[in-house]
mmCIF file of all heavy atoms in Angstrom:
data_model
loop_
_atom_site.group_PDB
_atom_site.id
_atom_site.type_symbol
_atom_site.label_atom_id
_atom_site.label_comp_id
_atom_site.label_asym_id
_atom_site.label_seq_id
_atom_site.Cartn_x
_atom_site.Cartn_y
_atom_site.Cartn_z
ATOM 1 N N ALA Z 70 -113.315 -118.797 -108.949
ATOM 2 C CA ALA Z 70 -113.439 -120.023 -108.356
ATOM 3 C C ALA Z 70 -114.868 -120.529 -108.569
ATOM 4 O O ALA Z 70 -115.789 -119.824 -108.434
ATOM 5 C CB ALA Z 70 -113.207 -119.936 -106.825
ATOM 6 N N THR Z 75 -117.027 -128.141 -102.925
ATOM 7 C CA THR Z 75 -115.651 -128.576 -102.397
ATOM 8 C C THR Z 75 -114.698 -127.463 -102.961
ATOM 9 O O THR Z 75 -113.429 -127.677 -102.864
ATOM 10 C CB THR Z 75 -115.185 -129.919 -102.887
ATOM 11 O OG1 THR Z 75 -115.486 -130.014 -104.322
ATOM 12 C CG2 THR Z 75 -115.929 -130.983 -102.190
ATOM 13 N N VAL Z 76 -115.235 -126.345 -103.334
ATOM 14 C CA VAL Z 76 -114.234 -125.216 -103.853
ATOM 15 C C VAL Z 76 -114.557 -123.886 -103.211
ATOM 16 O O VAL Z 76 -113.758 -123.263 -102.604
ATOM 17 C CB VAL Z 76 -114.338 -125.027 -105.407
ATOM 18 C CG1 VAL Z 76 -113.451 -123.867 -105.829
ATOM 19 C CG2 VAL Z 76 -114.058 -126.380 -106.150
ATOM 20 N N SER Z 77 -115.880 -123.412 -103.283
ATOM 21 C CA SER Z 77 -116.143 -121.932 -103.013
ATOM 22 C C SER Z 77 -117.074 -121.774 -101.870
ATOM 23 O O SER Z 77 -118.379 -121.825 -102.059
ATOM 24 C CB SER Z 77 -116.648 -121.306 -104.239
ATOM 25 O OG SER Z 77 -115.729 -121.320 -105.169
ATOM 26 N N GLU Z 78 -116.496 -121.594 -100.661
ATOM 27 C CA GLU Z 78 -117.230 -121.027 -99.534
ATOM 28 C C GLU Z 78 -116.573 -119.731 -99.137
ATOM 29 O O GLU Z 78 -115.787 -119.084 -99.904
ATOM 30 C CB GLU Z 78 -117.430 -121.998 -98.447
ATOM 31 C CG GLU Z 78 -118.364 -123.191 -98.994
ATOM 32 C CD GLU Z 78 -118.765 -124.146 -97.956
ATOM 33 O OE1 GLU Z 78 -118.205 -124.231 -96.859
ATOM 34 O OE2 GLU Z 78 -119.742 -124.944 -98.242
ATOM 35 N N ALA Z 80 -114.010 -118.779 -97.064
ATOM 36 C CA ALA Z 80 -112.570 -118.527 -97.084
ATOM 37 C C ALA Z 80 -112.024 -118.438 -98.486
ATOM 38 O O ALA Z 80 -111.209 -117.552 -98.879
ATOM 39 C CB ALA Z 80 -111.817 -119.750 -96.479
ATOM 40 N N MET Z 81 -112.584 -119.113 -99.472
ATOM 41 C CA MET Z 81 -112.207 -119.055 -100.809
ATOM 42 C C MET Z 81 -112.581 -117.689 -101.401
ATOM 43 O O MET Z 81 -111.871 -117.075 -102.130
ATOM 44 C CB MET Z 81 -112.836 -120.195 -101.723
ATOM 45 C CG MET Z 81 -112.384 -120.210 -103.188
ATOM 46 S SD MET Z 81 -110.607 -120.396 -103.377
ATOM 47 C CE MET Z 81 -110.554 -122.216 -103.027
ATOM 48 N N ALA Z 82 -113.836 -117.298 -101.039
ATOM 49 C CA ALA Z 82 -114.340 -115.881 -101.617
ATOM 50 C C ALA Z 82 -113.505 -114.841 -101.040
ATOM 51 O O ALA Z 82 -113.137 -113.950 -101.798
ATOM 52 C CB ALA Z 82 -115.762 -115.877 -101.116
ATOM 53 N N ALA Z 84 -110.220 -114.976 -100.050
ATOM 54 C CA ALA Z 84 -108.997 -115.013 -100.713
ATOM 55 C C ALA Z 84 -108.965 -114.560 -102.095
ATOM 56 O O ALA Z 84 -108.122 -113.849 -102.479
ATOM 57 C CB ALA Z 84 -108.430 -116.486 -100.390
ATOM 58 N N MET Z 85 -109.857 -115.130 -102.840
ATOM 59 C CA MET Z 85 -110.021 -114.754 -104.225
ATOM 60 C C MET Z 85 -110.218 -113.201 -104.461
ATOM 61 O O MET Z 85 -109.536 -112.638 -105.313
ATOM 62 C CB MET Z 85 -111.043 -115.567 -104.956
ATOM 63 C CG MET Z 85 -110.789 -117.154 -105.117
ATOM 64 S SD MET Z 85 -109.183 -117.477 -105.955
ATOM 65 C CE MET Z 85 -109.661 -117.127 -107.678
ATOM 66 N N LEU Z 88 -107.148 -111.179 -103.839
ATOM 67 C CA LEU Z 88 -106.081 -111.332 -104.827
ATOM 68 C C LEU Z 88 -106.522 -110.584 -106.160
ATOM 69 O O LEU Z 88 -105.716 -110.493 -107.063
ATOM 70 C CB LEU Z 88 -105.949 -112.785 -105.239
ATOM 71 C CG LEU Z 88 -105.289 -113.743 -104.305
ATOM 72 C CD1 LEU Z 88 -105.505 -115.230 -104.665
ATOM 73 C CD2 LEU Z 88 -103.829 -113.328 -104.327
ATOM 74 N N ARG Z 221 -97.883 -115.874 -91.663
ATOM 75 C CA ARG Z 221 -98.212 -116.701 -92.853
ATOM 76 C C ARG Z 221 -98.460 -115.836 -94.059
ATOM 77 O O ARG Z 221 -97.824 -116.168 -95.127
ATOM 78 C CB ARG Z 221 -99.393 -117.666 -92.505
ATOM 79 C CG ARG Z 221 -99.877 -118.510 -93.652
ATOM 80 C CD ARG Z 221 -100.993 -119.425 -93.113
ATOM 81 N NE ARG Z 221 -102.257 -118.853 -92.977
ATOM 82 C CZ ARG Z 221 -103.053 -118.626 -93.942
ATOM 83 N NH1 ARG Z 221 -102.923 -119.023 -95.219
ATOM 84 N NH2 ARG Z 221 -104.338 -117.997 -93.768
ATOM 85 N N TYR Z 225 -96.183 -114.932 -98.157
ATOM 86 C CA TYR Z 225 -96.745 -114.969 -99.510
ATOM 87 C C TYR Z 225 -96.425 -113.778 -100.467
ATOM 88 O O TYR Z 225 -96.146 -112.672 -99.815
ATOM 89 C CB TYR Z 225 -98.276 -115.297 -99.466
ATOM 90 C CG TYR Z 225 -98.797 -116.418 -98.721
ATOM 91 C CD1 TYR Z 225 -100.011 -116.340 -98.089
ATOM 92 C CD2 TYR Z 225 -98.003 -117.632 -98.597
ATOM 93 C CE1 TYR Z 225 -100.467 -117.427 -97.387
ATOM 94 C CE2 TYR Z 225 -98.436 -118.650 -97.883
ATOM 95 C CZ TYR Z 225 -99.688 -118.591 -97.260
ATOM 96 O OH TYR Z 225 -100.113 -119.640 -96.525
ATOM 97 N N MET Z 381 -112.258 -122.072 -112.353
ATOM 98 C CA MET Z 381 -111.397 -123.333 -111.866
ATOM 99 C C MET Z 381 -112.139 -124.043 -110.778
ATOM 100 O O MET Z 381 -112.444 -123.383 -109.781
ATOM 101 C CB MET Z 381 -109.994 -122.786 -111.580
ATOM 102 C CG MET Z 381 -109.363 -122.291 -112.749
ATOM 103 S SD MET Z 381 -107.750 -121.438 -112.249
ATOM 104 C CE MET Z 381 -108.331 -120.037 -111.472
ATOM 105 N N GLY Z 382 -112.006 -125.346 -110.878
ATOM 106 C CA GLY Z 382 -112.511 -126.238 -109.782
ATOM 107 C C GLY Z 382 -111.369 -126.981 -109.264
ATOM 108 O O GLY Z 382 -110.743 -126.613 -108.174
ATOM 109 N N SER Z 383 -110.890 -127.982 -109.962
ATOM 110 C CA SER Z 383 -109.764 -128.892 -109.461
ATOM 111 C C SER Z 383 -108.511 -128.018 -109.205
ATOM 112 O O SER Z 383 -107.709 -128.373 -108.333
ATOM 113 C CB SER Z 383 -109.540 -129.884 -110.476
ATOM 114 O OG SER Z 383 -108.930 -129.532 -111.586
ATOM 115 N N PHE Z 384 -108.209 -126.960 -109.927
ATOM 116 C CA PHE Z 384 -107.034 -126.200 -109.673
ATOM 117 C C PHE Z 384 -106.973 -125.566 -108.315
ATOM 118 O O PHE Z 384 -105.831 -125.270 -107.779
ATOM 119 C CB PHE Z 384 -106.900 -125.074 -110.891
ATOM 120 C CG PHE Z 384 -105.563 -124.553 -111.059
ATOM 121 C CD1 PHE Z 384 -104.586 -125.291 -111.738
ATOM 122 C CD2 PHE Z 384 -105.244 -123.266 -110.531
ATOM 123 C CE1 PHE Z 384 -103.356 -124.717 -111.926
ATOM 124 C CE2 PHE Z 384 -103.969 -122.707 -110.803
ATOM 125 C CZ PHE Z 384 -103.025 -123.419 -111.425
ATOM 126 N N LEU Z 385 -108.159 -125.288 -107.795
ATOM 127 C CA LEU Z 385 -108.232 -124.657 -106.424
ATOM 128 C C LEU Z 385 -108.674 -125.604 -105.285
ATOM 129 O O LEU Z 385 -108.525 -125.230 -104.181
ATOM 130 C CB LEU Z 385 -109.296 -123.498 -106.550
ATOM 131 C CG LEU Z 385 -109.080 -122.538 -107.608
ATOM 132 C CD1 LEU Z 385 -110.264 -121.469 -107.680
ATOM 133 C CD2 LEU Z 385 -107.730 -121.712 -107.448
ATOM 134 N N ALA Z 386 -109.156 -126.731 -105.703
ATOM 135 C CA ALA Z 386 -109.710 -127.626 -104.664
ATOM 136 C C ALA Z 386 -108.791 -128.177 -103.656
ATOM 137 O O ALA Z 386 -109.176 -128.543 -102.555
ATOM 138 C CB ALA Z 386 -110.484 -128.768 -105.304
ATOM 139 N N GLY Z 387 -107.618 -128.259 -103.920
ATOM 140 C CA GLY Z 387 -106.597 -128.711 -103.043
ATOM 141 C C GLY Z 387 -105.965 -127.707 -102.173
ATOM 142 O O GLY Z 387 -104.971 -127.928 -101.354
ATOM 143 N N SER Z 388 -106.536 -126.411 -102.217
ATOM 144 C CA SER Z 388 -105.909 -125.365 -101.467
ATOM 145 C C SER Z 388 -106.438 -125.351 -100.032
ATOM 146 O O SER Z 388 -107.435 -125.951 -99.701
ATOM 147 C CB SER Z 388 -106.288 -123.992 -102.144
ATOM 148 O OG SER Z 388 -107.603 -123.708 -101.893
ATOM 149 N N HIS Z 389 -105.591 -124.700 -99.239
ATOM 150 C CA HIS Z 389 -105.965 -124.356 -97.822
ATOM 151 C C HIS Z 389 -107.391 -123.779 -97.724
ATOM 152 O O HIS Z 389 -108.075 -123.999 -96.795
ATOM 153 C CB HIS Z 389 -104.872 -123.377 -97.399
ATOM 154 C CG HIS Z 389 -104.966 -122.923 -96.025
ATOM 155 N ND1 HIS Z 389 -104.314 -123.488 -95.089
ATOM 156 C CD2 HIS Z 389 -105.604 -121.772 -95.517
ATOM 157 C CE1 HIS Z 389 -104.584 -122.816 -93.921
ATOM 158 N NE2 HIS Z 389 -105.310 -121.751 -94.180
ATOM 159 N N GLU Z 390 -107.775 -122.825 -98.675
ATOM 160 C CA GLU Z 390 -109.024 -122.198 -98.660
ATOM 161 C C GLU Z 390 -110.256 -122.934 -99.123
ATOM 162 O O GLU Z 390 -111.413 -122.458 -98.898
ATOM 163 C CB GLU Z 390 -108.910 -120.825 -99.448
ATOM 164 C CG GLU Z 390 -107.991 -119.729 -98.864
ATOM 165 C CD GLU Z 390 -106.519 -119.987 -99.164
ATOM 166 O OE1 GLU Z 390 -106.212 -120.992 -99.844
ATOM 167 O OE2 GLU Z 390 -105.615 -119.289 -98.521
ATOM 168 N N ALA Z 391 -110.042 -124.060 -99.745
ATOM 169 C CA ALA Z 391 -111.231 -124.852 -100.129
ATOM 170 C C ALA Z 391 -111.884 -125.462 -98.991
ATOM 171 O O ALA Z 391 -111.118 -125.769 -97.989
ATOM 172 C CB ALA Z 391 -110.707 -125.942 -101.193
ATOM 173 N N PRO Z 392 -113.225 -125.699 -99.054
ATOM 174 C CA PRO Z 392 -113.860 -126.314 -97.821
ATOM 175 C C PRO Z 392 -113.376 -127.798 -97.607
ATOM 176 O O PRO Z 392 -112.712 -128.401 -98.516
ATOM 177 C CB PRO Z 392 -115.373 -126.459 -98.333
ATOM 178 C CG PRO Z 392 -115.390 -125.406 -99.395
ATOM 179 C CD PRO Z 392 -114.093 -125.391 -100.020
ATOM 180 N N GLY Z 393 -113.474 -128.254 -96.379
ATOM 181 C CA GLY Z 393 -113.059 -129.654 -96.121
ATOM 182 C C GLY Z 393 -111.702 -129.694 -95.476
ATOM 183 O O GLY Z 393 -111.059 -128.717 -95.351
ATOM 184 N N THR Z 394 -111.472 -130.772 -94.947
ATOM 185 C CA THR Z 394 -110.073 -130.955 -94.244
ATOM 186 C C THR Z 394 -109.210 -131.918 -95.038
ATOM 187 O O THR Z 394 -109.669 -132.729 -95.855
ATOM 188 C CB THR Z 394 -110.290 -131.534 -92.809
ATOM 189 O OG1 THR Z 394 -111.156 -132.787 -92.935
ATOM 190 C CG2 THR Z 394 -110.898 -130.601 -91.919
ATOM 191 N N TYR Z 395 -107.926 -131.771 -94.904
ATOM 192 C CA TYR Z 395 -106.978 -132.637 -95.581
ATOM 193 C C TYR Z 395 -107.011 -134.064 -95.013
ATOM 194 O O TYR Z 395 -107.148 -134.149 -93.755
ATOM 195 C CB TYR Z 395 -105.596 -132.111 -95.368
ATOM 196 C CG TYR Z 395 -105.373 -130.764 -96.251
ATOM 197 C CD1 TYR Z 395 -105.136 -129.613 -95.735
ATOM 198 C CD2 TYR Z 395 -105.348 -130.919 -97.759
ATOM 199 C CE1 TYR Z 395 -105.011 -128.428 -96.447
ATOM 200 C CE2 TYR Z 395 -105.088 -129.765 -98.519
ATOM 201 C CZ TYR Z 395 -104.919 -128.595 -97.826
ATOM 202 O OH TYR Z 395 -104.789 -127.360 -98.642
ATOM 203 N N LEU Z 402 -101.058 -135.848 -98.781
ATOM 204 C CA LEU Z 402 -102.152 -135.128 -98.180
ATOM 205 C C LEU Z 402 -103.082 -134.693 -99.288
ATOM 206 O O LEU Z 402 -102.685 -134.000 -100.251
ATOM 207 C CB LEU Z 402 -101.509 -133.766 -97.539
ATOM 208 C CG LEU Z 402 -101.971 -133.226 -96.269
ATOM 209 C CD1 LEU Z 402 -102.251 -134.449 -95.209
ATOM 210 C CD2 LEU Z 402 -101.154 -132.240 -95.703
ATOM 211 N N VAL Z 403 -104.294 -134.973 -99.118
ATOM 212 C CA VAL Z 403 -105.369 -134.763 -100.158
ATOM 213 C C VAL Z 403 -106.610 -134.078 -99.618
ATOM 214 O O VAL Z 403 -106.869 -134.225 -98.450
ATOM 215 C CB VAL Z 403 -105.710 -136.076 -101.092
ATOM 216 C CG1 VAL Z 403 -104.495 -136.716 -101.695
ATOM 217 C CG2 VAL Z 403 -106.494 -137.057 -100.080
ATOM 218 N N LYS Z 404 -107.445 -133.407 -100.362
ATOM 219 C CA LYS Z 404 -108.720 -132.862 -100.068
ATOM 220 C C LYS Z 404 -109.739 -133.431 -101.024
ATOM 221 O O LYS Z 404 -109.447 -133.739 -102.209
ATOM 222 C CB LYS Z 404 -108.795 -131.378 -100.200
ATOM 223 C CG LYS Z 404 -108.811 -130.701 -98.795
ATOM 224 C CD LYS Z 404 -109.066 -129.198 -98.945
ATOM 225 C CE LYS Z 404 -108.624 -128.599 -97.601
ATOM 226 N NZ LYS Z 404 -109.109 -127.153 -97.545
ATOM 227 N N LYS Z 405 -110.865 -133.779 -100.554
ATOM 228 C CA LYS Z 405 -112.016 -134.203 -101.457
ATOM 229 C C LYS Z 405 -112.382 -133.106 -102.398
ATOM 230 O O LYS Z 405 -112.390 -131.913 -102.185
ATOM 231 C CB LYS Z 405 -113.236 -134.539 -100.554
ATOM 232 C CG LYS Z 405 -114.309 -135.017 -101.398
ATOM 233 C CD LYS Z 405 -115.638 -135.099 -100.602
ATOM 234 C CE LYS Z 405 -115.876 -136.649 -100.077
ATOM 235 N NZ LYS Z 405 -117.248 -136.747 -99.566
ATOM 236 N N TYR Z 406 -112.635 -133.646 -103.637
ATOM 237 C CA TYR Z 406 -113.118 -132.751 -104.787
ATOM 238 C C TYR Z 406 -114.148 -133.552 -105.450
ATOM 239 O O TYR Z 406 -113.866 -134.701 -105.945
ATOM 240 C CB TYR Z 406 -111.956 -132.333 -105.680
ATOM 241 C CG TYR Z 406 -112.490 -131.511 -106.784
ATOM 242 C CD1 TYR Z 406 -113.216 -130.352 -106.763
ATOM 243 C CD2 TYR Z 406 -112.176 -131.898 -108.224
ATOM 244 C CE1 TYR Z 406 -113.650 -129.653 -107.720
ATOM 245 C CE2 TYR Z 406 -112.526 -131.181 -109.246
ATOM 246 C CZ TYR Z 406 -113.367 -130.011 -109.010
ATOM 247 O OH TYR Z 406 -113.680 -129.246 -110.043
ATOM 248 N N ALA Z 439 -110.367 -136.955 -105.212
ATOM 249 C CA ALA Z 439 -109.565 -136.181 -104.237
ATOM 250 C C ALA Z 439 -108.356 -135.511 -105.060
ATOM 251 O O ALA Z 439 -107.952 -135.949 -106.071
ATOM 252 C CB ALA Z 439 -108.901 -137.185 -103.228
ATOM 253 N N VAL Z 440 -107.923 -134.398 -104.562
ATOM 254 C CA VAL Z 440 -106.817 -133.737 -105.150
ATOM 255 C C VAL Z 440 -105.755 -133.394 -104.133
ATOM 256 O O VAL Z 440 -106.064 -133.319 -102.967
ATOM 257 C CB VAL Z 440 -107.322 -132.225 -105.805
ATOM 258 C CG1 VAL Z 440 -108.057 -132.536 -107.099
ATOM 259 C CG2 VAL Z 440 -108.077 -131.542 -104.809
ATOM 260 N N ALA Z 441 -104.469 -133.342 -104.646
ATOM 261 C CA ALA Z 441 -103.352 -133.059 -103.695
ATOM 262 C C ALA Z 441 -103.328 -131.755 -103.111
ATOM 263 O O ALA Z 441 -103.800 -130.729 -103.634
ATOM 264 C CB ALA Z 441 -102.125 -133.322 -104.512
ATOM 265 N N ASP Z 442 -102.754 -131.578 -101.922
ATOM 266 C CA ASP Z 442 -102.588 -130.449 -101.174
ATOM 267 C C ASP Z 442 -101.717 -129.415 -101.950
ATOM 268 O O ASP Z 442 -100.648 -129.847 -102.541
ATOM 269 C CB ASP Z 442 -101.895 -130.682 -99.835
ATOM 270 C CG ASP Z 442 -101.418 -129.492 -99.088
ATOM 271 O OD1 ASP Z 442 -102.043 -128.354 -99.285
ATOM 272 O OD2 ASP Z 442 -100.535 -129.610 -98.307
ATOM 273 N N LYS Z 443 -102.262 -128.169 -102.177
ATOM 274 C CA LYS Z 443 -101.447 -127.213 -102.965
ATOM 275 C C LYS Z 443 -101.050 -126.057 -102.105
ATOM 276 O O LYS Z 443 -100.512 -125.048 -102.666
ATOM 277 C CB LYS Z 443 -102.383 -126.737 -104.123
ATOM 278 C CG LYS Z 443 -102.528 -127.704 -105.196
ATOM 279 C CD LYS Z 443 -103.370 -127.114 -106.329
ATOM 280 C CE LYS Z 443 -102.465 -126.366 -107.331
ATOM 281 N NZ LYS Z 443 -103.245 -125.969 -108.580
ATOM 282 N N GLY Z 444 -101.366 -126.050 -100.902
ATOM 283 C CA GLY Z 444 -101.069 -124.808 -100.002
ATOM 284 C C GLY Z 444 -102.147 -123.864 -100.220
ATOM 285 O O GLY Z 444 -103.153 -124.113 -100.688
ATOM 286 N N SER Z 445 -101.693 -122.537 -100.024
ATOM 287 C CA SER Z 445 -102.662 -121.412 -100.009
ATOM 288 C C SER Z 445 -102.815 -120.857 -101.425
ATOM 289 O O SER Z 445 -101.805 -120.669 -102.070
ATOM 290 C CB SER Z 445 -102.310 -120.372 -99.072
ATOM 291 O OG SER Z 445 -103.134 -119.172 -99.189
ATOM 292 N N VAL Z 446 -104.049 -120.450 -101.825
ATOM 293 C CA VAL Z 446 -104.223 -119.825 -103.070
ATOM 294 C C VAL Z 446 -103.488 -118.509 -103.030
ATOM 295 O O VAL Z 446 -103.107 -117.917 -104.119
ATOM 296 C CB VAL Z 446 -105.734 -119.610 -103.483
ATOM 297 C CG1 VAL Z 446 -106.460 -120.876 -103.654
ATOM 298 C CG2 VAL Z 446 -106.490 -118.782 -102.428
ATOM 299 N N LEU Z 447 -103.328 -117.836 -101.805
ATOM 300 C CA LEU Z 447 -102.692 -116.640 -101.741
ATOM 301 C C LEU Z 447 -101.258 -116.680 -102.192
ATOM 302 O O LEU Z 447 -100.550 -115.743 -102.480
ATOM 303 C CB LEU Z 447 -102.701 -116.158 -100.237
ATOM 304 C CG LEU Z 447 -104.170 -115.875 -99.687
ATOM 305 C CD1 LEU Z 447 -104.123 -115.527 -98.248
ATOM 306 C CD2 LEU Z 447 -104.820 -114.785 -100.444
ATOM 307 N N LYS Z 448 -100.693 -117.973 -102.213
ATOM 308 C CA LYS Z 448 -99.326 -118.088 -102.751
ATOM 309 C C LYS Z 448 -99.351 -118.651 -104.162
ATOM 310 O O LYS Z 448 -98.674 -117.973 -105.031
ATOM 311 C CB LYS Z 448 -98.513 -119.185 -101.841
ATOM 312 C CG LYS Z 448 -97.146 -119.426 -102.208
ATOM 313 C CD LYS Z 448 -96.443 -120.332 -101.344
ATOM 314 C CE LYS Z 448 -94.958 -120.386 -101.823
ATOM 315 N NZ LYS Z 448 -94.193 -121.353 -101.040
ATOM 316 N N PHE Z 449 -100.087 -119.689 -104.398
ATOM 317 C CA PHE Z 449 -99.934 -120.301 -105.802
ATOM 318 C C PHE Z 449 -100.573 -119.498 -106.995
ATOM 319 O O PHE Z 449 -100.278 -119.578 -107.994
ATOM 320 C CB PHE Z 449 -100.167 -121.800 -105.820
ATOM 321 C CG PHE Z 449 -101.637 -122.193 -105.772
ATOM 322 C CD1 PHE Z 449 -102.517 -122.114 -106.856
ATOM 323 C CD2 PHE Z 449 -102.058 -122.765 -104.564
ATOM 324 C CE1 PHE Z 449 -103.764 -122.582 -106.761
ATOM 325 C CE2 PHE Z 449 -103.420 -123.189 -104.481
ATOM 326 C CZ PHE Z 449 -104.291 -123.121 -105.571
ATOM 327 N N ILE Z 450 -101.689 -118.688 -106.552
ATOM 328 C CA ILE Z 450 -102.311 -117.951 -107.658
ATOM 329 C C ILE Z 450 -101.403 -116.832 -108.190
ATOM 330 O O ILE Z 450 -101.183 -116.576 -109.335
ATOM 331 C CB ILE Z 450 -103.713 -117.422 -107.160
ATOM 332 C CG1 ILE Z 450 -104.662 -118.620 -107.258
ATOM 333 C CG2 ILE Z 450 -104.253 -116.304 -108.154
ATOM 334 C CD1 ILE Z 450 -105.001 -119.206 -108.537
#
Side-chain angles (χ1 to χ4, degrees):
T75 46
V76 180
S77 295
E78 291 189 346
M81 183 63 76
M85 290 301 285
L88 288 167
R221 178 175 73 88
Y225 301 148
M381 299 171 286
S383 66
F384 199 75
L385 303 174
S388 71
H389 179 92
E390 289 79 6
T394 49
Y395 289 109
L402 216 48
V403 300
K404 249 188 201 190
K405 180 190 260 194
Y406 177 52
V440 286
D442 172 24
K443 287 184 86 171
S445 173
V446 297
L447 298 173
K448 181 172 181 186
F449 74 77
I450 289 291

